[in-house]
Amino acid sequence: MATFLYRLGRFAFRRRHFVALIWVALLTLAGVGAGNAPAAGNTSFSIPGTEAQKAFDLLEQRFPGASADGATARVVFKAPAGEKITDAGNKAAVEKTVGTLSDGSEVASVADPYTGKAVSKDGTIAYASVKYDVSGMELEDSSRDALKEAAQDARDAGLTVEVGGDALSAAPETGATEVIGIGIAAVVLVITFGSLLAAGLPLLTALIGVGIGVSTITALAATLDLGSTTSTLATMIGLAVGIDYALFIVSRYRAELAEGRDREEAAGRAVGTAGSAVVFAGLTVVIALVGLSVVNIPMLTKMGVAAAGTVAIAVLIALTMIPALLGYAGRKVRPMGEKSKLLGGGRNRGADRAAKPNLGTRWASFVVRRPVAVLLLGVVGLGAAAVPAASLELGLPDDGSQPTSTTQRRAYDLLSEGFGPGFNGPLMVVVDAKDSTDPQAVFRDVGNEIKRLDDVVTVTPAAANKAGDTATITVIPGSKPSSATTEDLVHAIRDKGADVKADSDASVLVTGSTAMNIDVSQKLNDALVPYLALVVGLAFLLLIVVFRSVLVPLKAALGFLLSVMAALGAVVAVFQWGWLSGLMGVEETGPVMSMMPIFMVGVVFGLAMDYEVFLVTRMREAYVHGEKPSQAVVTGFKHGARVVTAAAVIMMAVFAGFIGSSESMVKMIGFGLAIAVFFDAFLVRMALVPAVLALLGRRAWWLPKWLDRVLPNVDVEGEGLRTASGAPSRDDDDKELVRA
């Protein structure tokens, strides 16, 4: 592999115009596709195989024309203090608002609160349900404006009015923090390279890669049903890995220049060595992201595949466009150790300072001398950070998790005040009595059985379809949607359904947003172990091929488990317990998003293996070239610690930039990934890895002879480049690439 990538690097350096033209053409093509693509609709959320999804699918079959795909809104009215919402003046204001809402061109129906029994027992609060013909993302701005204006007219009449539901949903905003994150990355690159031009190359290529990836996602959004969160995630991961991969190749290029090689040869060797690490690091990230498909949640699968595609683009750009841009830069990108005059280059700082070991060398030497102490401190520290993870509560965000400044959250609170906390999470019970001899009796009996259960406030009469074989029953719990009591009620209704099935051949299914949340959490919990086995297993085999060792990949996997558990603990502490919530902009604490654990496992594992590959391949390279194990650790840190540290800081800055998002899911992902990179890069890879390798010595690189014979030799260290006699000619490069 190293030889092929070496030829590719030289080819891209020499044929820079051709390579640059290809990437500019791809960016233009993707941009045109995104610009001409139809607007994406509201992303469908389905969980195949769950009872809630089966009930939803059954409703679509048995109740045609009553699809739940349309946007909804609840306009909640509260009377002034000391008055009733049923008073003549207040009632007139409410009815006027209902009439105004009914005139909308996209409005399917508006339920009058007085005829629909949507008035609280104390008579102070009422709500009107608005149903639209199109989804929330397809609503015209005029329909949203009409909804807001109608609410404001009722406020002007003296009522308190708030609006909930997805009709007011909008694409998430990331704010200025994303730009700040990229700015921090730029500063780190300038400090690392000592050159503005060299620092600009990784940023430029990362932005081009993300531009191609996100534009492609936008172009395919309507066709593949991709939501806004998909492109946000692709941007987040694409920027982080794109900058890091380019950073490693540019750094190796400068190191090769410092050894006296000409620029084309240095570009080839940089792609052949650091590029090999980039390929395998990218493969681990792609495996982890694509592996999310085993969970069988379409939205999660699409997010993973889209992000994996952006990572693949980042790898290809790093291998081809970086050497092409280095060719354009020429002598403006200086050898390692030299700075531009603008940043203080050319000054004589003394030979004694030049000979002083760098920080990475000093730190690795310390760890090698005190491996047990460093190992114990690192494990105890990560273990302490992981303690909050034992209190992890999972759920999906709803209007109750919105900031109190939003009208959606205030509407949620008003409904809880007037109708009880369970009103915001009603359960829909679907009774399929098609095989029963007396469907009406079954509907009645099911309703009576549910009324006898604990924590049930209201059970509506069964509403049958035209055929009379299927009915829906709405159940209002006494507890809030995210409570354990409500979850127990869902399981109790399903248990009763098993008895009904045995007695009458009728099926009882529970659906609704609350039941869906419960099923999602259960499905994700059940998928976590198979997912870990698949992803960690495949990556473990990949790392055995890379490092030609059994213990090094095993250590990498165990270190990852420590870092991901510590990161989950930090997420629980901030988003569930409220620690530092003000600093992070978390206005409302609550359960952690159901997808967060398995999503973090996938993404963090891929990123953790990035640093493992980049840092340990340098150690492996030194060991292969004859250094003692302990000295190889120090050598690896001498050449790789500075760059890995810069890469980690950059990745943390990019992820942390998304903490300013207006969407709680994106905010949580940004924080979780940023803190996970911190734990993994600085505690696991920079402390635990050298400590374990120092303790293992030569055993770290042990590989059974039979396995050594079976495994392919991918030559990540570039040993073939060192032993080759003379550099291949340009014609040889071109012919070899054509054959490949």
Side-chain angles (χ1 to χ4, degrees):
M1 173 176 285
T3 303
F4 170 77
L5 292 179
Y6 165 78
R7 294 177 184 274
L8 178 64
R10 293 185 63 190
F11 175 85
F13 184 96
R14 189 169 59 256
R15 304 294 176 87
R16 60 188 74 101
H17 303 307
F18 173 71
V19 173
L21 182 62
I22 287 178
W23 285 112
V24 171
L26 288 175
L27 179 61
T28 304
L29 183 64
V32 171
N36 296 327
N42 200 24
T43 307
S44 60
F45 186 80
S46 62
I47 312 295
T50 62
E51 180 172 317
Q53 186 64 45
K54 291 176 183 176
F56 183 82
D57 295 340
L58 182 64
L59 286 174
E60 296 232 325
Q61 295 174 11
R62 304 290 174 83
F63 290 82
S67 174
D69 291 340
T72 59
R74 273 180 173 175
V75 183
V76 188
F77 307 89
K78 183 176 182 180
E83 299 181 19
K84 301 286 187 180
I85 202 71
T86 52
D87 293 346
N90 296 332
K91 184 176 181 179
V94 172
E95 290 180 336
K96 180 182 178 181
T97 302
V98 171
T100 302
L101 290 171
S102 301
D103 295 335
S105 60
E106 295 181 307
V107 175
S109 63
V110 181
D112 188 299
Y114 301 104
T115 59
K117 298 180 179 180
V119 179
S120 63
K121 290 182 179 180
D122 62 5
T124 61
I125 297 175
Y127 68 92
S129 296
V130 185
K131 175 78 173 178
Y132 291 89
D133 292 322
V134 296
S135 67
M137 296 300 291
E138 295 171 319
L139 269 183
E140 297 287 344
D141 289 339
S142 58
S143 295
R144 290 194 177 92
D145 293 340
L147 180 61
K148 295 174 184 178
E149 289 171 3
Q152 187 58 49
D153 290 343
R155 292 189 189 103
D156 294 340
L159 301 177
T160 298
V161 186
E162 304 295 347
V163 183
D166 62 352
L168 294 182
S169 62
E173 299 175 357
T174 53
T177 52
E178 181 182 346
V179 178
I180 294 173
I182 296 176
I184 293 173
V187 171
V188 173
L189 287 170
V190 171
I191 294 173
T192 302
F193 289 138
S195 166
L196 292 175
L197 180 62
L201 296 182
L203 283 174
L204 175 62
T205 54
L207 290 173
I208 291 174
V210 168
I212 294 173
V214 173
S215 296
T216 303
I217 291 171
T218 304
L220 299 175
T223 305
L224 301 180
D225 191 26
L226 305 176
S228 58
T229 306
T230 303
S231 58
T232 303
L233 175 66
T235 301
M236 187 188 305
I237 295 179
L239 273 176
V241 301
I243 294 173
D244 279 6
Y245 294 165
L247 166 65
F248 281 102
I249 291 179
V250 173
S251 297
R252 189 60 182 252
Y253 171 76
R254 296 178 70 229
E256 296 293 338
L257 288 179
E259 293 184 8
R261 293 186 173 88
D262 66 69
R263 296 186 178 274
E264 182 178 330
E265 178 69 9
R269 287 182 176 269
V271 176
T273 51
S276 298
V278 165
V279 169
F280 281 99
L283 274 176
T284 59
V285 180
V286 169
I287 288 172
L289 290 170
V290 174
L292 290 169
S293 59
V294 304
V295 183
N296 197 25
I297 295 179
M299 185 181 80
L300 195 59
T301 299
K302 292 171 186 176
M303 289 171 64
V305 172
T310 308
V311 172
I313 292 172
V315 171
L316 293 175
I317 283 185
L319 297 178
T320 57
M321 195 168 186
I322 282 293
L325 293 179
L326 290 173
Y328 283 118
R331 297 184 180 279
K332 294 179 181 178
V333 176
R334 298 169 180 271
M336 185 74 73
E338 291 187 20
K339 294 183 178 181
S340 65
K341 293 182 179 179
L342 181 64
L343 297 172
R347 300 175 187 173
N348 184 11
R349 301 185 182 275
D352 56 337
R353 181 167 180 176
K356 182 180 179 181
N358 62 21
L359 181 60
T361 302
R362 298 197 300 272
W363 168 251
S365 299
F366 170 77
V367 175
V368 168
R369 291 195 305 269
R370 301 284 188 275
V372 176
V374 172
L375 182 61
L376 289 177
L377 284 174
V379 171
V380 170
L382 289 170
V387 168
S391 303
L392 178 67
E393 296 177 9
L394 299 177
L396 289 178
D398 56 15
D399 284 348
S401 62
Q402 296 267 13
T404 53
S405 59
T406 62
T407 186
Q408 294 96 325
R409 171 59 189 275
R410 291 196 293 264
Y412 181 97
D413 292 340
L414 282 177
L415 289 172
S416 297
E417 177 188 339
F419 302 93
F423 190 80
N424 285 293
L427 306 176
M428 179 178 287
V429 179
V430 182
V431 184
D432 179 8
K434 189 175 183 178
D435 297 330
S436 175
T437 56
D438 189 357
Q440 292 299 322
V442 172
F443 301 155
R444 186 170 55 254
D445 292 343
V446 170
N448 292 333
E449 287 292 332
I450 293 174
K451 289 178 182 178
R452 299 189 186 100
L453 297 175
D454 295 334
D455 200 48
V456 173
V457 174
T458 304
V459 178
T460 64
N465 62 349
K466 290 182 179 180
D469 59 4
T470 307
T472 60
I473 300 172
T474 301
V475 180
I476 305 298
S479 304
K480 63 181 182 178
S482 59
S483 68
T485 306
T486 301
E487 182 175 350
D488 292 340
L489 175 59
V490 170
H491 292 310
I493 296 174
R494 288 173 173 172
D495 290 341
K496 288 293 182 183
D499 298 336
V500 172
K501 180 70 174 178
D503 296 338
S504 62
D505 289 331
S507 299
V508 178
L509 305 173
V510 185
T511 190
S513 60
T514 302
M516 185 70 80
N517 289 356
I518 294 170
D519 288 349
V520 167
S521 298
Q522 186 61 50
K523 189 176 183 68
L524 289 167
N525 287 338
D526 293 343
L528 185 57
V529 173
Y531 174 70
L532 270 174
L534 173 68
V535 173
V536 176
L538 288 175
F540 183 80
L541 294 176
L542 188 65
L543 292 179
I544 288 179
V545 173
V546 173
F547 296 126
R548 308 197 73 78
S549 164
V550 174
L551 296 180
V552 170
L554 179 62
K555 164 200 59 65
L558 293 177
F560 149 74
L561 291 176
L562 279 174
S563 59
V564 78
M565 289 303 297
L568 274 177
V571 169
V572 170
V574 173
F575 290 89
Q576 189 174 307
W577 291 0
W579 293 6
L580 301 177
S581 57
L583 181 63
M584 298 298 167
V586 180
E587 297 187 34
E588 189 66 28
T589 59
V592 172
M593 183 182 63
S594 296
M595 296 182 184
M596 194 66 187
I598 199 164
F599 182 80
M600 279 190 65
V601 165
V603 177
V604 174
F605 181 79
L607 300 179
M609 295 308 103
D610 274 6
Y611 299 117
E612 181 76 15
V613 170
F614 290 136
L615 191 60
V616 180
T617 48
R618 273 290 194 166
M619 300 178 190
R620 167 77 181 172
E621 186 176 344
Y623 178 74
V624 167
H625 295 150
E627 292 189 8
K628 294 181 179 179
S630 58
Q631 184 57 41
V633 170
V634 176
T635 301
F637 268 76
K638 175 184 177 181
H639 295 291
R642 178 183 175 88
V643 180
V644 169
T645 299
V649 172
I650 289 169
M651 197 171 279
M652 288 169 58
V654 172
F655 288 149
F658 289 83
I659 295 176
S661 174
S662 61
E663 186 170 319
S664 59
M665 177 178 175
V666 175
K667 182 189 293 286
M668 190 179 295
I669 290 174
F671 172 79
L673 295 183
I675 197 69
V677 169
F678 170 77
F679 286 141
D680 195 86
F682 292 104
L683 295 183
V684 175
R685 309 303 154 189
M686 290 290 185
L688 300 189
V689 165
V692 172
L693 290 178
L695 289 172
L696 290 175
R698 294 186 182 277
R699 290 168 293 182
W701 308 107
W702 170 78
L703 185 70
K705 291 183 179 180
W706 64 269
L707 187 57
D708 186 44
R709 291 192 298 268
V710 172
L711 292 178
N713 184 12
V714 295
D715 189 22
V716 176
E717 301 84 11
E719 182 64 20
L721 301 181
R722 291 177 176 267
T723 57
S725 57
S729 68
R730 295 183 176 187
D731 291 339
D732 289 341
D733 286 346
D734 294 346
K735 291 176 182 178
E736 185 67 26
L737 286 169
V738 169
R739 284 196 294 270

